[in-house]
Amino acid sequence: MTSATVTGETSSPTIRPEEAAHFGKLAAEWWDPRGSSAMLHKLNPVRLAFIRSAIDTHWGTDVTIRAPLTGRTAIDVGCGAGLLCEPLARMGAKVTGVDAAAENIAAARHHAAGMRLDIDYHAGELSSLPEDTFDLVTSMEVIEHVADKRAFVRELVSRLAPGGLMILSTPNRTAASKLLLVDGAEMIGQVPRGTHDWDDFIVPEELGELLNDAGMEMGAPKGIAFTAMKGLHLSDDLKLNYIVTATRR
Amino acid sequence: MSGEIGTERRDVVILGGGLVGMTLAIALAELGITSHVLDAADPEAQMAAGFDGRASAISTASWNLFTNIGIADRLEKFGCPIDAIAVSDQLKPGELHFRPQPGEGSLGRMFANRQLRIALFDAAKERPEIAFHPKSRIVARERDAFGVAAIREDGARFEGSLLVAAEGRRSPTREEAGLTVAKWDYRHRALICGLTHEKPHGNVAWEIFYPAGPFALLPMLDDDQGRHRTALVWTVAEKDADAWLKLGERAFVAEAQKRMGGVLGEIALDGARTSFPLGFHHAPTIVADRLALVGDAAHGIHPIAGQGLNLGLRDAAALAEVLGDGMRLGLEPGDAQLLKRYQDWRALDDFSVALATDGLTWIFGVPGKTASMVRRAGMSAIEKFAPLKTFFMDEARGVSGALPALLQD
C-alpha cells in the first residue's frame, strides 16, 4: 500500500506512511494462520464449503467450475481483513467489503493489493454505503456483536438484490457455546479475550423470526461443530455455531 | 504446454519435472490449475533410449490415477501386468505366492521409466495449463505472505501461489526450508539392469531374499524381437557395489544366474548396468508456508516392495485433490489450511508404508540359519499381517476422508 486513503463515507483520515506500515503489520496478523485469527482461518474452509454449495443450489451453477459468481455482486458485512471477501472475489464476484473498524479495512486493502485482487472496501456502517444492492449478502459472526439485531437484519435485507441470496453465521446460545467459545476458546487463547458476550448470542429460531419479519425465509441451518478427530466441520449438530441461507419470500 | 520464458504468475510453481512432478502438473491441469514446471535436465537426453534402465511397478491405484488424468491410453501397450508375486528365502523350498483371485484386481504393471516419462511429457505438451521450462537451473526461491517465486540462473522469475518441491531425495528446496529428514542409510546399493532370458516369466515378479539384501526380478514385456525380458534389481553392500559394476559381463551373469536358479532359464544382459544407493528417508513435516513436498523430496523407501514411485504418485493425487477442492471454494493454492489438510492426509500413510517396507528389509537382512527360519516363519506372518496392515492404512485415510479421488476407479 503506497498512498492509500480510506474512502468510506465515514470521515476517516488520510493514512500517513507510518500508519500504512502499521496496517501492513495488522494485515499480516489477521492473515497469519497461526496468529490471533487462527480460529477464523480454520473456520474459513468450513463455511466456504457451505457457501459454495448454497451458491450452486441457489443459482444452479456447475459445482466443478472455479468462478460460479461470475457476473454477480457480493457484499460481506463485518468483513474484517477480508478473509471471506477474497475467496468470493476468486469465485468471480465483484466484491464489496464493509467493516466498522477503519483499521480492519486498511489491513484488508493492504492484503487484497498484495494478492492482486480488486475488492471495494469501505470503513463504517452499512448504512453509510451508496444505495446499491447485491446478489449475495454475507455476514459471518457479526450479528452476535450487534445490539439492535432487528434493525441490522432489516439493513442487510435492504441490500439484497431481487433474486439474491443471503448467508449468515453466528454462534448458538447454548451451554456448549458458552463453555467452548466464551470460556474455553478465549481462555486458551484460540480467540482473543472479550470477543464474545454470550448473552448477545442468538438461537436459530430467533434468527428465523427476525428474518421472517423482514420478509425473508430462512433455510435449514447447518451446524459448525468441532471434534478432536475432524476439527471444525459442517454437521447437523447446531450446539456451537450455525450457518444459514435466507431468500426473499 | 508453452515453453517461452514466461514470467506470468501461475497457480503453482513445481520444482522438478520428473515422474511425480509431471504427474502432479497434469493432475492439476485436469482441475484447471495452472503451473510452471522447472527442471534442470534436458528432456531430449532423458527420453533417449538407454538413458536409464530403471523400471517401476505401477500399482492399481497409480494406474487409476494415470487413467483419470488421461495418460493410460498412451501407456497401456508398454505395461507388463504382474499376475503373481513369488517371495522366496534364498530359493529354499517354501516360497510364498501371492496371486489375487479373479475380481481382486491386479498386482500392478511394470513399466520402463523411460516410457512413463515419454507419456507424461507428451501429455503435458498438450496442456495450456502447464508451462514447462526444461534446462532451468534454479538459483533462488522466495516465499512471502502473498506468493512464491523461483529465480533461474539467467534471472528469469517464475511466480505463483504455491511452491512444490518435486526435486527428489536431495531436494535443495526442502533443505533451504529447514524441513528435517530422518535418514537411514542402508549402506547398500541397488544394481539395476535389464535381462533377456530363455523361459517366459509368466508375468510373475520374484523377490528372492538373501542376507546381503533382496534380489528382485520384475517382468517386462517382450522386446520387438520377441525376446523375454526382466528388470533385475539386485541389492548389494555399498562397499561391493563398484566391484559388481566392474565385473566382466560373463562373470556378472553367472553370479546373477546363481542367485536366481532356473527361474528364468538361461539369461543374458540387456543394456548397461547402473546402481543407486538405498536409503530410507522421511520428512515428518512435508509442508511449510506456501511450500509442499512431494515424492522423494518428502520420503524415499527401500525399493523391495516397489512402493517408491507409487507413494510419490499418491502424494501428487492427494495434493491435486486438496488444491482442487480448495480452489473451488475460492481459496488460493498457498492457503495454509489446504496445506495442513495435505500434511495430515499424507503423513500417516507415508510413514506406515515406509515402516512396513523397512521392517521387511530388516527381517531379510540378518544372516545365519536361525534367522533364515525366522524369515520363513516371518513370511507366513507377513501374510497374516496383511489384513492388519490394510486396517491401519484405511484408518490413516479415514482421518481425512478417503483415498484421493484420482486414485479410485
Side-chain angles (χ1 to χ4, degrees):
Chain A
M1 195 164 64
T2 46
S3 61
T5 47
V6 175
T7 53
E9 298 298 303
T10 48
S11 53
S12 297
T14 302
I15 297 170
R16 296 187 303 271
E18 64 270 26
E19 284 184 320
H22 168 68
F23 293 132
K25 193 168 158 280
L26 199 68
E29 277 167 26
W30 260 98
W31 281 91
D32 177 1
R34 293 171 295 266
S36 53
S37 304
M39 196 59 119
L40 279 179
H41 283 275
K42 290 193 182 110
L43 195 57
N44 219 22
V46 182
R47 62 192 190 186
L48 280 167
F50 180 90
I51 291 168
R52 173 70 205 239
S53 140
I55 289 167
D56 291 335
T57 306
H58 186 73
W59 281 295
T61 35
D62 180 344
V63 298
T64 62
I65 58 169
R66 188 80 65 77
L69 290 174
T70 303
R72 305 206 181 275
T73 54
I75 185 168
D76 186 34
V77 180
C79 64
L83 258 66
L84 184 59
C85 287
E86 293 195 5
L88 293 177
R90 285 196 204 89
M91 279 194 250
K94 180 163 178 9
V95 180
T96 300
V98 57
D99 198 284
E103 275 207 333
N104 288 352
I105 288 301
R109 283 201 181 114
H110 178 89
H111 197 268
M115 295 310 298
R116 307 179 204 192
L117 291 170
D118 183 18
I119 297 172
D120 189 14
Y121 282 115
H122 292 266
E125 299 293 329
L126 183 53
S127 54
S128 65
L129 250 69
E131 285 184 13
D132 296 326
T133 59
F134 302 86
D135 297 313
L136 177 66
V137 174
T138 60
S139 188
M140 303 284 129
E141 315 300 311
V142 174
I143 196 167
E144 68 272 20
H145 301 288
V146 173
D148 187 348
K149 294 180 170 41
R150 184 169 297 275
F152 179 70
V153 167
R154 220 180 288 127
E155 185 76 43
L156 290 179
V157 172
S158 74
R159 293 295 177 168
L160 192 65
L165 173 68
M166 183 182 293
I167 303 177
L168 306 173
S169 81
T170 190
N172 203 345
R173 193 175 69 248
T174 60
S177 73
K178 184 168 185 357
L179 189 70
L180 272 161
L181 290 180
V182 185
D183 303 336
E186 291 187 14
M187 202 180 303
I188 59 170
Q190 287 282 303
V191 171
R193 261 171 206 251
T195 298
H196 292 119
D197 182 350
W198 185 76
D199 295 326
D200 257 348
F201 287 5
I202 176 169
V203 300
E205 294 73 23
E206 291 164 347
L207 183 60
E209 207 139 298
L210 286 178
L211 284 163
N212 187 54
D213 293 350
M216 302 288 288
E217 182 165 7
M218 186 171 89
K222 197 83 189 159
I224 296 173
F226 178 85
T227 62
M229 281 298 282
K230 287 187 175 173
L232 289 163
H233 61 281
L234 287 175
S235 150
D236 291 328
D237 177 359
L238 308 181
K239 278 202 294 290
L240 213 52
N241 205 295
Y242 60 97
I243 184 164
V244 295
T245 60
T247 48
R248 270 207 188 80
R249 262 202 319 271
Chain B
M1 182 160 74
S2 55
E4 74 276 12
I5 297 186
T7 52
E8 101 262 36
R9 184 176 166 121
R10 287 176 168 254
D11 294 324
V12 182
V13 178
I14 302 172
L15 302 181
L19 299 179
V20 174
M22 211 49 116
T23 301
L24 174 64
I26 298 168
L28 292 174
E30 281 286 312
L31 297 164
I33 301 172
T34 59
S35 62
H36 284 297
V37 180
L38 297 131
D39 197 289
D42 175 1
E44 301 287 325
Q46 279 186 304
M47 289 190 289
F51 167 75
D52 88 29
R54 273 190 279 176
S56 294
I58 297 298
S59 70
T60 304
S62 295
W63 186 250
N64 291 341
L65 169 63
F66 286 161
T67 305
N68 289 329
I69 65 172
I71 66 161
D73 286 346
R74 296 168 207 269
L75 277 172
E76 183 94 57
K77 60 178 181 286
F78 300 111
C80 179
I82 303 171
D83 293 338
I85 298 176
V87 182
S88 160
D89 181 21
Q90 306 176 57
L91 290 176
K92 289 173 188 162
E95 77 231 18
L96 284 176
H97 287 264
F98 298 96
R99 189 180 286 271
Q101 300 300 310
E104 280 183 333
S106 93
L107 290 164
R109 298 153 211 247
M110 286 303 305
F111 286 94
N113 281 10
R114 180 173 159 265
Q115 295 296 355
L116 296 175
R117 210 171 279 127
I118 290 171
L120 289 166
F121 274 58
D122 286 350
K125 256 182 223 154
E126 293 164 9
R127 310 299 310 231
E129 297 91 346
I130 301 172
F132 179 49
H133 311 278
K135 294 187 259 183
S136 292
R137 191 170 300 283
I138 299 308
V139 292
R141 300 153 194 89
E142 295 171 5
R143 292 182 285 127
D144 68 20
F146 302 114
V148 300
I151 294 102
R152 196 164 63 184
E153 58 189 343
D154 65 352
R157 276 176 74 87
F158 300 91
E159 297 183 343
S161 275
L162 173 69
L163 195 64
V164 175
E167 306 147 305
R169 64 165 67 199
R170 276 190 290 270
S171 166
T173 308
R174 180 194 65 214
E175 299 294 312
E176 196 180 277
L179 296 174
T180 54
V181 187
K183 283 188 196 146
W184 187 346
D185 182 357
Y186 292 109
R187 287 189 277 266
H188 279 68
R189 291 183 82 84
L191 302 179
I192 291 171
C193 65
L195 299 176
T196 56
H197 43 88
E198 183 193 7
K199 290 194 212 164
H201 47 55
N203 295 351
V204 176
W206 280 83
E207 298 265 19
I208 307 167
F209 289 95
Y210 289 98
F215 185 98
L217 298 167
L218 306 165
M220 305 292 287
L221 286 189
D222 290 354
D223 69 7
D224 41 21
Q225 299 154 51
R227 291 184 302 178
H228 306 314
R229 292 191 306 164
T230 281
L232 167 65
V233 183
W234 181 357
T235 307
V236 300
E238 178 79 61
K239 60 178 170 39
D240 303 331
D242 264 353
W244 283 113
L245 286 174
K246 286 184 194 138
L247 194 65
E249 187 168 325
R250 190 183 306 192
F252 182 84
V253 166
E255 290 294 331
Q257 185 89 64
K258 212 189 291 176
R259 280 161 182 78
M260 55 201 272
V263 167
L264 297 174
E266 291 295 315
I267 58 167
L269 266 185
D270 180 27
R273 280 167 273 170
T274 54
S275 81
F276 67 91
L278 296 179
F280 161 70
H281 65 279
H282 170 82
T285 305
I286 57 171
V287 300
D289 292 344
R290 293 189 181 278
L291 172 66
L293 311 180
V294 294
D296 285 349
H299 38 238
I301 56 176
H302 198 289
I304 64 168
Q307 290 289 346
L309 179 58
N310 293 317
L311 204 53
L313 293 176
R314 225 182 301 184
D315 292 341
L319 185 57
E321 182 169 335
V322 165
L323 297 184
D325 283 357
M327 290 183 78
R328 257 189 81 246
L329 303 183
L331 296 170
E332 46 115 4
D335 187 280
Q337 308 306 315
L338 299 183
L339 296 182
K340 183 178 182 301
R341 188 178 155 215
Y342 170 65
Q343 161 80 38
D344 291 349
W345 195 350
R346 294 304 297 141
L348 204 47
D349 186 18
D350 289 345
F351 203 53
S352 38
V353 172
L355 277 184
T357 315
D358 201 59
L360 228 54
T361 313
W362 182 80
I363 291 175
F364 289 101
V366 183
K369 262 214 170 82
T370 322
S372 178
M373 280 165 64
V374 170
R375 280 196 286 274
R376 264 174 284 167
M379 285 204 277
S380 47
I382 289 164
E383 241 185 342
K384 292 197 188 94
F385 275 145
L388 209 68
K389 211 170 103 190
T390 311
F391 170 78
F392 277 113
M393 305 279 285
D394 289 348
E395 277 298 288
R397 294 183 195 115
V399 173
S400 208
L403 199 62
L406 284 169
L407 296 181
Q408 296 173 29
D409 274 329

